[in-house]
Amino acid sequence: DDHQLSVEDLELKYQTNINKAGEILLRDGPNELKPPKGTPEYVKFARQLAGGLQCLMWVAAAICLIAFGIQCGQGDLTSADNLYLAIALIAVVVVTGCFGYYQEFKSTNIIASFKNLVPQQATVIRDGDKFQINANQLVVGDLVEIKGGDRVPADIRIITSQGCKVDNSSLTGESEPQTRAPECTHESPLETRNIAFFSTMCLEGTATGIIVNTGDRTIIGRIATLASGVENEKTPIAIEIEHFVDIIAGLAIFFGGTFFVVAMVIGYPFLKAMVFFMAIVVAYVPEGLLATVTVCLSLTAKRLARKNCVVKNLEAVETLGSTSVICSDKTGTLTQNRMTVSHLWFDNQIHTADTTEDQSGQSFDQSSETWRALCKIVSLCNRAFFKSGQDNVPVPKRIVIGDASETALLKFSEIALGNVMEYRERYKKACEIPFNSTNKFQLSIHELEDPRDPRYLLVMKGAPERILERCATIMIKGQELPLDEQWKEAFQTAYMDLGGLGERVLGFCHLYLDPGQFPRGFSFDTEDMNFPTSGLCFAGLISMIDPPRATVPDAVMKCRTAGIRVIMVTGDHPITAKAIAASVGIISEGSETVEDIAARMRIPVEQVNKWEARACVVNGGQLKDMETEELVEILKMHPEMVFARTSPQQKLIIVESCQKLGAIVAVTGDGVNDSPALKKADIGVAMGIAGSDAAKNAADMILLDDNFASIVTGVEQGRLIFDNLKKSIAYTLTKNIPELTPYLIYITVSVPLPLGCITILFIELCTDIFPSVSLAYEKAESDIMHLKPRNPRRDRLVNEALAVYSYFQIGAIQSFAGFTDYFTAMAQEGWFPLLCVGLRAQWENDHLQDLQDSYGQEWTFGQRLYQEYTCYTVFFISIEMCQISDVLIRKTRRLSVFQQGFFRNKILVIAIVFQLCLGCFLCYCPGMPNIFNFMPIRFQWWLVPLPYGILIFVYDEIRKLGVRRHPGSWWDKELYY
Amino acid sequence: MFGGTLAGGGSGRRGLGGSEGAPRWGLPHVGALLDPPLFSPPPALILFFYLVFYGFLTALFTLTMWVMLQTVDPYIPKYQDRLSVPGMMIRPKTDTLDVTFNVSNTESWDRYVKMLNDFLEPYNDSIQAATNDACRPGRYNEQPDNGVLNYPKRACQFNRTALGACSGLNDPTHYGYADGRPCILIKMNRVGEAGWGLAPPNFEGSPPHTFKLGEMVMYPPNGHIDLMYFPYYGKKVHVNYTQPIVAVKFLTLEANTDHNVECKVNAVNIATTDERDKFAGRVAFKIRVNRD
């Protein structure tokens, strides 16, 4: 309540002019926002190692080590497979962890580079002397001076002020500059005029004030603290992966348990059966999946970064794809955050000015005489000027010294006329009355350009109704007509229309002074006003607004087609908010609010059927009195919502309410006031250029070019990666079965082991990684931007259909392929299938050097071992051949591969070639047998699995055909994943 | 199989295709939980589906296996990629290939003698004479099919008596185990017809400490195996094939000492240098004769 105290009380309270600044500094700490508790780097790294999949792999590694321990305990030292497996699992987790950490580290660096590191200076008056000190040395009670262009160094109670205006947009979302003056105007410290807030910009004028709060105790500090208190939401993809891990773990334990029982029944000793159990559980862990998911996500992150979306957390790249509601801030996000001339009214007609950032829009007809007169007034009656040395900068980007509306007008006339500065010099200014709140007009008198014309020109602008009062005539098409009732009516209509658009309207008029009465060199006196200020000629109205960014309406439209609801949540006033909402399409054409309907039907608001109103504008005051249920009710009732005058706390509540409705919420914003909501949202998107540090810290994604349209890209990429991850996972899961069945058959039927552990690791971590990643490059099957957002409860990343189809159908076919090839290789080398059954004990007996095959030939253990390696290799090749077919079918889930195009995804083609080359290399590179247990195999064994590969392809085409032809049938339900 | 139980649950799906039209509402209905449950096909249908599916797969598997077996001749191995070098083994054989016994303790060598007796049973002259031919030594015993496919092949006699002092026939010393001059039989694994060609293998003791091994004598003389025992035509056609063996009798083995002996095939076309397979063309064993 410092704003309500008198200056004397305030001095008493803070003992201004004290000499013990140092003491207070020690007590309160430096005047700066404590950086949000940065997560220590080791915690960030640890987080990379503790995701759902990572945990699964840790558990698997632990199991492997236990199994290895049991084997060692039994004195079985022949096979270190379990040890290798554990090491591989741990290595995968650590390597992908490092990779993910590096990715995030890189994007953090990009974001950090945006931070302004220059320490801020402040002018402080201590004991009557002025000092320039670092702003962080300020303490409560210090007397500080601020002037236009300064950043307010702390929360300041204004004592004196000369036309001081501040930009509160980052704090409250108001795009208009706010006047600061010594008078207390409101009970609330946020609304009163005599407090200037830490970190807001002083746009013009000067002021002095006493610091009442510093550092984290400032308003902005409190909001930042609020944000840091909000827990980060789990990303949808993390939830999906956990769900997926549950499925995997469930299946693994189910299988392990089943075969444990089987092994016990067959008569294995308990410990041996236990080792089998563990091996099966571990075999279910898709070692390669973690790498695939990480690489796919970072590919998308890279793709997004190229489109200027930087993602802080890898998992967040998918979130926009799942988003069903976007809560967008207005100022600086949807709008350009600069006042711009948007409409003009002259010649009894409303003209629309070009408000695009790059002046690419259409201009209006500029041939009228009235326009020329109006333009002259606009140029001359303006105190704003360009900072020098910006001749090469495009006009909209030039820095202007002056108030926001004058800036807008200056830029407008600069574009319309050319060099305004020079123009002004030609019309020498004789005298000037600046704008003040009592007059509500601004006036200046100029000599004319033509030296032979001795007249003076008086130009005036101001609040339209005040200007009109002073006018006697109105200029229409260059003619001065008397301002009668009819014209006044027309003026009123235009004024209301423009005001209704949420625009700030100014009136313009002029008068050529009588040269007899006012000869050259006449001394104009601004105090006495010894010149006429009435009976002027009205030229026109100009209205200004902070216009929407050019790309926003299109982006909003695209979001809507994509089934995403866009809600505006702003700190600005309802009328402006509604106008902007309407112009960007958040409130669509023809949608009415309850109030609109009431006005149209001329009935009281209470009688309107609220369900008829599609749109709704709720303001902060109403929101304060609302229960959460009511808010939820309103959100359900009106599809098009605008929240105006909301506090940071309320933004948070709105986000929570949407989440309560089951939506996945994205919040876009740039201001400090958005930061709690940004943090609470499933994905917070902050603006990179306009955004405050607080917002960027709280956000998960940063748009480097502040382009709202990038969100659409984010949605598209997010949806695409969700679809493609599904494909990658399906591809990766499939081979789990052909990797597992050899072991199951080995246990139950006691054939020589068809597939070894190291070989499995090669499939998982070497040959199949590239193809599964290449699926991330797959194009969308349909126009994903015309679909609803996925329902997070129903449309899972990995659903039962996917698991069942991959495991029990495609995986089964692959297993059969592997066994066919295995038995072929065995039979052609002398071991017929029936002989293999039950052969295991003898086969693995390393004291038996003369085991007879089907032809009576005798084999040493070493020869059998190489034969076993041959089997591994043959099985490996079978899986590879089937996986080539698998990756082709995974290109689409619904369309035929022929519709999608075989070679459209070049990366995938390269991946297949790479996979084949790698397979050849592993088989035929000398030395492989003794290092990695790969044997050079005969050519025809590459061909044995081909029929199964073709079967996979044909079967999947049949599946897709059925899915396309009979949507909703049992076939569709069971086989569409 | 397993599918039936898992597939029973309704699976979620996401609507594809723009025909559904863009929804006006971003928020899912609160009643989404109450949406009519997705149509779950009856378990019987799923069971039937999987029955057909796996039935078909099994049929395909059987077919490919049948095709594969057509490519394999039950009489002649298609490939012998792993059998380029025949393995070697000794008799009597223990897991550690350690022949240790005490001359005066009958029980310590009794099992070795039993092993040798069992092993040499089929080599008895009477059996050999009954089933096998006496072939002409010094050349391969090639028996072309002469138009009749897989015509049964005759095997050559390898008589137990050829092992001389190691035949164990009428031998009070029980292959020398009773008097500390033990016999070790060395056998070479049989491998099929493609075999190893021309040069006859013979065995050679190449002990590192020949002086300690003392004198030894080999049967057949010099450990020479005659060509007539090759090639081997596989167990189907070459039913009574008798593997040639070499017996080594250690005559003056120093007692109470470990002797590590390695035997190698000595043939031009058999490599005995495989680092990994210690039994490829060679065999190493330990022998120790204890005397009180």
Side-chain angles (χ1 to χ4, degrees):
Chain A
D1 50 352
D2 285 334
H3 58 292
Q4 283 164 325
L5 298 176
S6 70
V7 176
E8 288 72 30
D9 289 345
L10 208 61
E11 268 178 36
L12 214 62
K13 181 172 174 188
Y14 291 115
Q15 303 178 323
T16 327
N17 301 330
I18 37 91
N19 212 348
K20 31 183 192 175
E23 245 173 70
I24 302 175
L25 191 65
L26 271 179
R27 186 193 68 196
D28 290 349
N31 172 36
E32 58 197 1
L33 292 183
K34 232 182 270 146
K37 234 186 262 151
T39 338
E41 295 299 306
Y42 69 89
V43 172
K44 280 191 198 163
F45 185 66
R47 232 179 254 159
Q48 294 285 342
L49 303 180
L53 270 178
Q54 287 88 335
C55 288
L56 186 73
M57 294 181 72
W58 284 120
V59 171
I63 291 175
C64 283
L65 288 175
I66 294 172
F68 182 68
I70 292 177
Q71 280 182 327
C72 281
Q74 286 178 325
D76 175 7
L77 293 169
T78 47
S79 160
D81 281 358
N82 274 317
L83 186 64
Y84 294 151
L85 196 54
I87 292 169
L89 285 166
I90 293 170
V92 168
V93 176
V94 173
V95 169
T96 48
C98 290
F99 183 75
Y101 175 75
Y102 172 69
Q103 288 291 330
E104 288 186 10
F105 178 75
K106 258 200 331 201
S107 49
T108 317
N109 270 359
I110 296 176
I111 293 156
S113 66
F114 270 71
K115 276 188 189 154
N116 186 9
L117 294 173
V118 181
Q120 195 195 335
Q121 296 280 314
T123 312
V124 61
I125 301 166
R126 283 180 181 165
D127 295 332
D129 291 328
K130 270 193 195 180
F131 300 98
Q132 281 279 337
I133 61 170
N134 276 350
N136 60 6
Q137 298 298 315
L138 293 176
V139 295
V140 167
D142 270 339
L143 193 62
V144 290
E145 260 187 20
I146 52 170
K147 58 180 188 304
D150 284 353
R151 204 166 269 277
V152 178
D155 279 2
I156 293 173
R157 160 73 196 268
I158 303 290
I159 298 173
T160 63
S161 145
Q162 283 93 40
C164 175
K165 283 191 178 175
V166 292
D167 173 13
N168 273 357
S169 63
S170 89
L171 196 62
T172 62
E174 291 159 304
S175 44
E176 291 193 24
Q178 307 289 307
T179 310
R180 294 291 103 159
E183 303 86 32
C184 171
T185 54
H186 202 280
E187 293 168 6
S188 157
L190 272 173
E191 301 277 346
T192 185
R193 277 198 183 162
N194 59 353
I195 303 269
F197 300 107
F198 183 31
S199 91
T200 57
M201 279 297 270
C202 176
L203 296 173
E204 58 177 87
T206 58
T208 52
I210 297 172
I211 296 179
V212 291
N213 283 313
T214 57
D216 284 333
R217 287 168 302 282
T218 57
I219 299 291
I220 211 160
R222 274 181 244 166
I223 297 175
T225 321
L226 180 65
S228 65
V230 175
E231 277 297 305
N232 249 332
E233 294 288 307
K234 231 180 215 168
T235 59
I237 198 79
I239 295 170
E240 288 307 317
I241 287 177
E242 272 167 29
H243 173 247
F244 161 65
V245 166
D246 287 348
I247 291 185
I248 295 274
L251 278 174
I253 291 173
F254 167 75
F255 261 80
T258 310
F259 280 86
F260 176 74
V261 173
V262 169
M264 289 298 279
V265 169
I266 290 176
Y268 285 102
F270 174 78
L271 273 181
K272 188 91 179 159
M274 204 63 209
V275 170
F276 287 158
F277 170 77
M278 291 174 180
I280 291 169
V281 170
V282 171
Y284 240 99
V285 176
E287 291 91 352
L289 195 63
L290 181 58
T292 305
V293 172
T294 312
V295 174
C296 285
L297 289 178
S298 48
L299 278 178
T300 306
K302 238 176 136 184
R303 224 177 287 169
L304 284 176
R306 233 176 298 153
K307 295 187 174 159
N308 289 321
C309 297
V310 174
V311 180
K312 277 212 250 168
N313 172 2
L314 264 193
E315 284 173 348
V317 301
E318 188 276 330
T319 313
L320 268 181
S322 311
T323 297
S324 47
V325 173
I326 297 176
C327 291
S328 180
D329 178 41
K330 177 182 80 70
T331 316
T333 309
L334 299 176
T335 68
Q336 303 168 16
N337 201 12
R338 59 183 183 92
M339 285 308 242
T340 306
V341 171
S342 60
H343 291 99
L344 302 94
W345 180 75
F346 59 84
D347 291 351
N348 195 20
Q349 211 175 341
I350 291 181
H351 301 267
T352 308
D354 178 12
T355 53
T356 54
E357 287 108 315
D358 52 356
Q359 293 301 317
S360 56
Q362 287 256 315
S363 201
F364 52 92
D365 175 31
Q366 301 188 341
S367 57
S368 163
E369 275 299 318
T370 321
W371 155 247
R372 224 163 285 158
L374 183 59
C375 198
K376 194 177 277 176
I377 306 170
V378 170
S379 312
L380 296 178
C381 187
N382 193 330
R383 281 154 48 97
F385 56 92
F386 289 113
K387 233 175 175 175
S388 55
Q390 301 189 85
D391 292 340
N392 299 325
V393 183
V395 177
K397 295 230 169 79
R398 288 193 203 166
I399 298 167
V400 175
I401 314 290
D403 136 323
S405 34
E406 295 224 297
T407 305
L409 290 169
L410 174 63
K411 287 184 176 174
F412 176 68
S413 52
E414 177 83 11
I415 288 162
L417 277 181
N419 196 336
V420 174
M421 295 296 138
E422 195 194 85
Y423 188 79
R424 279 192 202 161
E425 266 166 39
R426 281 188 271 146
Y427 291 83
K428 216 166 245 150
K429 196 186 281 178
C431 103
E432 174 179 57
I433 301 176
F435 186 85
N436 70 47
S437 46
T438 40
N439 284 343
K440 297 213 166 176
F441 68 77
Q442 178 182 348
L443 170 157
S444 59
I445 299 173
H446 299 262
E447 287 172 15
L448 288 186
E449 181 183 17
D450 184 355
R452 283 163 303 170
D453 192 340
R455 290 184 296 172
Y456 276 98
L457 173 63
L458 183 151
V459 288
M460 187 195 260
K461 75 165 183 227
E465 62 278 4
R466 295 294 180 88
I467 297 294
L468 194 74
E469 278 169 18
R470 293 169 188 278
C471 291
T473 56
I474 180 166
M475 184 178 277
I476 300 293
K477 306 211 187 280
Q479 307 291 314
E480 284 192 27
L481 303 180
L483 186 66
D484 55 18
E485 282 307 312
Q486 190 197 335
W487 288 120
K488 279 187 180 165
E489 184 82 7
F491 162 86
Q492 278 304 334
T493 320
Y495 184 26
M496 294 299 285
D497 281 353
L498 295 176
L501 292 173
E503 304 186 353
R504 187 199 295 179
V505 190
L506 289 175
F508 294 84
C509 61
H510 71 170
L511 182 70
Y512 286 95
L513 298 181
D514 178 7
Q517 218 176 331
F518 303 98
R520 273 284 157 96
F522 182 85
S523 145
F524 294 99
D525 186 346
T526 54
E527 294 295 313
D528 295 348
M529 300 228 239
N530 56 354
F531 44 85
T533 55
S534 59
L536 314 176
C537 171
F538 189 83
L541 294 172
I542 293 184
S543 68
M544 282 156 288
I545 197 163
D546 175 15
R549 293 168 188 274
T551 49
V552 168
D554 192 39
V556 170
M557 191 60 217
K558 279 184 179 155
C559 286
R560 293 180 146 232
T561 3
I564 300 169
R565 186 176 175 186
V566 185
I567 294 177
M568 181 189 279
V569 183
T570 177
D572 210 343
H573 297 272
I575 297 174
T576 328
K578 193 182 163 196
I580 293 291
S583 69
V584 301
I586 288 177
I587 294 180
S588 50
E589 231 178 294
S591 293
E592 291 177 308
T593 62
V594 172
E595 290 77 16
D596 289 336
I597 295 175
R600 176 168 54 85
M601 298 172 64
R602 294 173 206 283
I603 50 171
V605 171
E606 295 77 38
Q607 290 179 15
V608 178
N609 177 3
K610 285 184 179 154
W611 289 94
E612 274 177 28
R614 284 179 54 77
C616 181
V617 179
V618 179
N619 101 36
Q622 293 167 279
L623 205 57
K624 207 189 300 175
D625 304 328
M626 244 180 235
E627 296 293 318
T628 327
E629 293 76 43
E630 259 180 283
L631 178 59
V632 169
E633 191 63 23
I634 287 182
L635 280 168
K636 280 199 281 181
M637 204 182 321
H638 309 284
E640 298 171 354
M641 296 286 309
V642 171
F643 292 92
R645 299 302 286 163
T646 46
S647 68
Q649 189 76 50
Q650 287 172 332
K651 291 191 176 193
L652 198 62
I653 292 169
I654 293 166
V655 171
E656 276 172 341
S657 302
C658 290
Q659 285 172 334
K660 230 173 256 166
L661 280 169
I664 291 182
V665 183
V667 169
T668 61
D670 62 335
V672 180
N673 57 338
D674 301 314
S675 58
L678 285 171
K679 192 101 179 261
K680 178 74 197 168
D682 295 286
I683 178 165
V685 183
M687 299 294 152
I689 302 169
S692 55
D693 284 350
K696 284 188 226 167
N697 273 328
D700 304 298
M701 185 186 265
I702 288 165
L703 306 180
L704 294 184
D705 56 357
D706 287 16
N707 188 351
F708 185 80
S710 307
I711 288 181
V712 178
T713 318
V715 170
E716 196 172 353
Q717 292 297 332
R719 289 184 175 187
L720 188 61
I721 196 63
F722 188 85
D723 274 9
N724 285 346
L725 262 187
K726 209 171 205 177
K727 295 172 183 174
S728 284
I729 290 177
Y731 171 80
T732 311
L733 288 190
T734 309
K735 61 178 179 283
N736 249 4
I737 288 298
E739 285 164 5
L740 184 63
T741 41
Y743 198 68
L744 300 183
I745 298 294
Y746 166 78
I747 295 172
T748 49
V749 190
S750 292
V751 294
L753 186 61
L755 186 63
C757 170
I758 296 177
T759 322
I760 292 177
L761 286 179
F762 265 95
I763 300 173
E764 287 281 351
L765 300 176
C766 183
T767 53
D768 276 15
I769 290 281
F770 191 16
S772 65
V773 168
S774 75
L775 283 169
Y777 289 94
E778 199 55 48
K779 297 267 178 304
E781 278 173 70
S782 57
D783 195 347
I784 39 176
M785 291 309 278
H786 282 101
L787 301 178
K788 299 187 230 185
R790 73 185 177 92
N791 178 340
R793 260 197 312 270
R794 277 222 315 258
D795 309 322
R796 313 307 304 250
L797 181 64
V798 174
N799 51 27
E800 282 81 359
L802 185 149
V804 167
Y805 182 67
S806 299
Y807 279 150
F808 301 120
Q809 298 184 25
I810 302 301
I813 299 176
Q814 295 195 350
S815 306
F816 275 102
F819 276 104
T820 308
D821 215 359
Y822 163 75
F823 282 122
T824 305
M826 283 298 268
Q828 295 193 340
E829 292 285 0
W831 303 87
F832 288 1
L834 284 180
L835 182 69
C836 294
V837 174
L839 190 64
R840 188 172 75 88
Q842 287 172 293
W843 182 274
E844 290 183 349
N845 181 353
D846 57 350
H847 302 304
L848 189 60
Q849 302 300 339
D850 45 8
L851 184 63
Q852 284 195 24
D853 66 11
S854 303
Y855 297 100
Q857 307 181 93
E858 292 167 321
W859 294 58
T860 64
F861 178 74
Q863 287 160 347
R864 296 199 301 271
L865 198 62
Y866 283 122
Q867 178 60 22
E868 193 172 311
Y869 293 165
T870 307
C871 294
Y872 293 177
T873 314
V874 157
F875 216 104
F876 163 79
I877 289 301
S878 304
I879 294 180
E880 290 309 304
M881 298 303 274
C882 289
Q883 282 293 82
I884 289 174
S885 183
D886 195 24
V887 77
L888 286 176
I889 67 166
R890 300 300 184 184
K891 280 165 74 76
T892 57
R893 292 188 292 138
R894 187 186 176 83
L895 290 185
S896 162
V897 176
F898 297 101
Q899 286 168 305
Q900 181 84 348
F902 262 105
F903 304 109
R904 280 254 295 281
N905 184 348
K906 297 276 184 307
I907 307 284
L908 190 133
V909 177
I910 296 170
I912 292 175
V913 173
F914 173 78
Q915 191 181 13
L916 278 172
C917 294
L918 208 58
C920 286
F921 174 78
L922 288 173
C923 288
Y924 300 112
C925 175
M928 276 295 170
N930 298 324
I931 310 171
F932 294 125
N933 308 352
F934 283 94
M935 294 290 286
I937 59 166
R938 288 181 174 275
F939 176 68
Q940 71 261 37
W941 295 334
W942 286 74
L943 305 180
V944 174
L946 273 187
Y948 291 93
I950 294 165
L951 174 70
I952 289 176
F953 186 81
V954 171
Y955 174 59
D956 196 62
E957 282 296 316
I958 294 172
R959 176 190 76 87
K960 287 170 190 163
L961 188 71
V963 168
R964 287 198 302 273
R965 285 279 169 82
H966 304 287
S969 64
W970 67 272
W971 181 271
D972 184 22
K973 295 285 186 281
E974 283 307 312
L975 297 178
Y976 181 74
Y977 53 89
Chain B
M1 260 165 91
F2 340 123
T5 50
L6 278 156
S11 47
R13 75 182 292 261
R14 164 156 159 210
L16 268 160
S19 60
E20 291 166 50
R24 304 184 331 184
W25 294 69
L27 294 175
H29 296 289
V30 181
L33 280 173
L34 306 172
D35 280 351
L38 284 166
F39 167 72
S40 297
L45 183 63
I46 297 303
L47 204 66
F48 177 72
F49 172 80
Y50 277 94
L51 222 59
V52 172
F53 183 83
Y54 283 104
F56 177 76
L57 267 186
T58 316
L60 183 72
F61 179 69
T62 318
L63 180 76
T64 47
M65 287 297 275
W66 179 80
V67 170
M68 180 274 287
L69 288 176
Q70 297 312 302
T71 70
V72 179
D73 189 327
Y75 298 96
I76 307 155
K78 193 172 176 73
Y79 304 119
Q80 293 171 308
D81 297 332
R82 305 283 91 78
L83 297 176
S84 52
V85 177
M88 302 236 309
M89 203 11 88
I90 56 160
R91 290 290 184 276
K93 179 196 162 233
T94 57
D95 277 353
T96 48
L97 299 187
D98 177 3
V99 182
T100 302
F101 62 96
N102 193 320
V103 176
S104 50
N105 182 357
T106 318
E107 272 173 28
S108 70
W109 46 261
D110 197 35
R111 56 190 185 116
Y112 299 139
V113 171
K114 194 173 173 305
M115 274 185 227
L116 292 175
N117 280 336
D118 289 347
F119 180 76
L120 288 177
E121 188 71 37
Y123 290 85
N124 284 339
D125 291 15
S126 52
I127 297 177
Q128 288 294 317
T131 58
N132 293 351
D133 298 343
C135 309
R136 213 178 85 196
R139 66 178 184 99
Y140 288 110
N141 179 22
E142 281 177 284
Q143 303 173 62
D145 276 343
N146 291 333
V148 186
L149 203 60
N150 300 320
Y151 189 78
K153 307 289 190 285
R154 301 289 297 172
C156 295
Q157 289 179 5
F158 188 97
N159 289 323
R160 190 167 172 177
T161 45
L163 296 179
C166 285
S167 67
L169 296 168
N170 309 317
D171 186 358
T173 62
H174 298 286
Y175 305 97
Y177 285 84
D179 64 355
R181 299 197 292 178
C183 279
I184 299 288
L185 302 185
I186 296 161
K187 90 182 231 303
M188 187 169 67
N189 285 350
R190 10 174 221 274
V191 290
E193 180 182 29
W196 53 88
L198 301 171
N202 62 37
F203 297 88
E204 173 189 282
S206 57
H209 314 292
T210 321
F211 56 96
K212 276 192 187 166
L213 278 176
E215 282 176 49
M216 50 190 169
V217 59
M218 290 195 230
Y219 308 95
N222 300 324
H224 179 87
I225 292 177
D226 198 276
L227 282 181
M228 68 180 175
Y229 298 107
F230 305 100
Y232 171 54
Y233 285 104
K235 70 176 178 187
K236 279 238 168 102
V237 285
H238 221 158
V239 180
N240 293 311
Y241 180 76
T242 309
Q243 228 167 326
I245 44 178
V246 168
V248 184
K249 191 171 177 71
F250 297 92
L251 297 173
T252 55
L253 212 53
E254 188 180 325
N256 302 330
T257 318
D258 283 346
H259 299 282
N260 291 305
V261 188
E262 188 181 55
C263 289
K264 273 187 189 166
V265 176
N266 182 15
V268 290
N269 52 353
I270 297 178
T272 55
T273 51
D274 192 325
E275 279 296 305
R276 307 260 159 188
D277 192 351
K278 300 287 182 212
F279 297 92
R282 58 193 159 150
V283 61
F285 57 93
K286 197 180 96 182
I287 188 161
R288 180 189 176 98
V289 181
N290 290 329
R291 288 179 198 270
D292 296 329

